[in-house]
Amino acid sequence: MKKLAIVTSGGDAPGMNAAIRALVRLGAWNGIEIIGFERGWEGVIRNRFRKLDSRAVSGILHLGGTILRTSRCEEFRTREGLEKAAETLAANEVDGLVVIGGDGSIRGAHALSRFTDTSIIALPASIDNDVYGTDETIGFDTAVNTALAEINKIRDTAVSHERTFIVEVMGRKRGFLALEVGLTAGAEIILVPEVKFDKEKIYDTLRKNAAKGKRSSIIVAAEGIGETRKLAEDIQRNVNTEVRLSVLGYVQRGGSPTARSRLLANLFAEKAIDLLLDGHRGRVVVLQKGGVTSISLEDSCSNQKPLNIDLLKLAEKLAT
Ligand code: F6P
């Protein structure tokens, strides 16, 4: 392994910089030359990169976002795009490519692996935590804690004004963030895209809560359930409660990574370098039952990560 390239792709996640730093430092430790492609797959397609040495990654460990920038690259979904990216890797004599990103980026890495001899390793990093095979992605813990801190504040107003709040958290397709935030925030109701919800049941729960003396409620909803504003209006119309909607938005994607997100970034990076040095290719570094291991890109891309429905049931019991 002489030359390693790093790329961050898709939605940024807190801890991507920690992963870049760890890869560069561990790479340098092993005498590997490192480059970083800029703006996600776009940089690989257009051959835009910068050299990275240990000093180039000083002072970034605590920063959210990614110093390499990122993008959602449509061209990379085409055969031409993949071929161009493979040409860039060959032209630069890149032996190993580490892709830091979420579900979509890992699918991209898998597609590219069919066009190139470069060994590709993926590090799951996404606030959505929706990568199959890993219990957790880099950045997820930070996003959970960011959302939690905001809901703690919203709870003050909910209690003081005796209101119902719908708090919309990110998660266009999956509800991992909503589920963990909802459970840890003590939400009365959690709505995720994976489970169809019944408005009548929501009204009923809120009415029963009021009858039990609960004067305020928090509903945590993943953005993927859609139409949260309409839901707020419907609840207000059907239940004797004042309803407000708070969409947390991009505050969840940014910010300094928590210790846990940084730790995961460091451990994942260490595993990626070890895999490359041992001659592995086409792997996704994952956390399983507290240990760092890896699965194949193929395996990760051909399965869908299941949502832990037991956690939803637990949250329901805890909200009584
Ligand atoms: O990073 C994941 C995610 O935050 C999703 O939950 C969200 O729907 C999406 O990215 C938004 O992406 P973009 O900023 O590219 O529109």
Side-chain angles (χ1 to χ4, degrees), residues 151-152 154-156 158-159 163-167 182 185-190 206 216-220:
I151 295 177
N152 289 342
I154 290 169
R155 182 73 83 175
D156 292 344
V159 170
R163 284 176 182 163
T164 296
F165 268 85
I166 298 179
V167 182
E188 276 66 29
I189 295 170
I190 302 171
L206 293 172
S216 65
S217 291
I218 300 278
I219 300 173
V220 171

Side-chain angles (χ1 to χ4, degrees), residues 185-232:
E188 276 66 29
I189 295 170
I190 302 171
L191 302 174
V192 292
E194 291 86 346
V195 182
K196 226 174 152 321
F197 66 91
D198 174 0
K199 281 190 187 170
E200 289 301 330
K201 199 173 159 222
I202 295 173
Y203 306 154
D204 194 46
T205 304
L206 293 172
R207 286 187 198 117
K208 280 188 183 141
N209 283 352
K212 277 188 292 191
K214 270 200 187 211
R215 313 214 56 85
S216 65
S217 291
I218 300 278
I219 300 173
V220 171
E223 66 174 305
I225 70 151
E227 300 196 4
T228 42
R229 184 157 301 283
K230 170 93 170 52
L231 178 63

Side-chain angles (χ1 to χ4, degrees), residues 100-117:
I100 307 170
D103 187 51
S105 307
I106 293 175
R107 284 175 200 285
H110 183 40
L112 178 61
S113 69
R114 299 201 186 98
F115 290 80
T116 178
D117 290 333

Side-chain angles (χ1 to χ4, degrees), residues 14-320:
M16 280 184 161
N17 280 328
I20 295 168
R21 170 183 175 273
L23 287 166
V24 170
R25 298 243 165 122
L26 294 171
W29 181 271
N30 286 285
I32 302 169
E33 185 189 343
I34 321 255
I35 61 169
F37 285 108
E38 292 171 340
R39 307 195 74 222
W41 293 122
E42 203 183 299
V44 189
I45 291 173
R46 311 231 178 288
N47 197 17
R48 302 240 166 86
F49 64 85
R50 66 173 106 153
K51 291 194 170 178
L52 294 171
D53 60 17
S54 289
R55 291 289 65 75
V57 293
S58 292
I60 67 166
L61 177 59
H62 63 295
L63 300 178
T66 159
I67 59 160
L68 291 177
R69 312 280 185 255
T70 185
S71 61
R72 301 208 188 263
C73 180
E74 283 308 314
E75 196 180 345
F76 196 69
R77 294 175 192 272
T78 66
R79 189 184 176 92
E80 293 71 30
L82 290 166
E83 281 172 353
K84 278 194 214 163
E87 275 166 30
T88 302
L89 295 174
N92 291 293
E93 297 179 346
V94 173
D95 309 301
L97 174 69
V98 177
V99 181
I100 307 170
D103 187 51
S105 307
I106 293 175
R107 284 175 200 285
H110 183 40
L112 178 61
S113 69
R114 299 201 186 98
F115 290 80
T116 178
D117 290 333
T118 299
S119 304
I120 300 181
I121 306 289
L123 300 195
S126 161
I127 66 157
D128 290 339
N129 199 22
D130 58 350
V131 175
Y132 176 83
T134 190
D135 295 341
E136 195 175 326
T137 51
I138 297 166
F140 178 64
D141 181 67
T142 308
V144 169
N145 281 291
T146 300
L148 198 54
E150 299 302 316
I151 295 177
N152 289 342
K153 295 173 203 159
I154 290 169
R155 182 73 83 175
D156 292 344
T157 303
V159 170
S160 304
H161 284 260
E162 301 183 341
R163 284 176 182 163
T164 296
F165 268 85
I166 298 179
V167 182
E168 184 187 299
V169 301
M170 275 188 161
R172 192 154 44 197
K173 295 184 190 140
R174 305 302 311 272
F176 296 98
L177 186 61
L179 180 53
E180 195 148 322
V181 169
L183 179 74
T184 54
E188 276 66 29
I189 295 170
I190 302 171
L191 302 174
V192 292
E194 291 86 346
V195 182
K196 226 174 152 321
F197 66 91
D198 174 0
K199 281 190 187 170
E200 289 301 330
K201 199 173 159 222
I202 295 173
Y203 306 154
D204 194 46
T205 304
L206 293 172
R207 286 187 198 117
K208 280 188 183 141
N209 283 352
K212 277 188 292 191
K214 270 200 187 211
R215 313 214 56 85
S216 65
S217 291
I218 300 278
I219 300 173
V220 171
E223 66 174 305
I225 70 151
E227 300 196 4
T228 42
R229 184 157 301 283
K230 170 93 170 52
L231 178 63
E233 287 162 6
D234 289 347
I235 294 174
Q236 174 136 329
R237 206 174 318 112
N238 287 280
V239 184
N240 186 23
T241 178
E242 217 184 337
V243 187
R244 292 287 188 273
L245 169 66
S246 187
V247 179
L248 295 189
Y250 284 89
V251 294
Q252 298 161 95
R253 279 252 289 262
S256 186
T258 57
R260 188 165 173 81
S261 290
R262 295 182 202 194
L263 181 67
L264 213 54
N266 290 335
L267 295 177
F268 279 9
E270 182 186 39
K271 185 70 179 177
I273 297 289
D274 286 350
L275 286 169
L276 288 168
L277 289 174
D278 289 346
H280 293 280
R281 41 191 302 120
R283 310 293 294 173
V284 183
V285 178
V286 294
L287 182 76
Q288 289 183 353
K289 298 189 177 119
V292 177
T293 181
S294 74
I295 62 170
S296 69
L297 278 170
E298 174 73 37
D299 194 9
S300 185
C301 294
S302 44
N303 289 290
Q304 208 193 32
K305 184 171 173 176
L307 191 79
N308 186 352
I309 299 295
D310 288 344
L311 281 188
L312 260 187
K313 290 185 192 145
L314 173 61
E316 207 175 314
K317 288 179 204 160
L318 294 173
T320 46

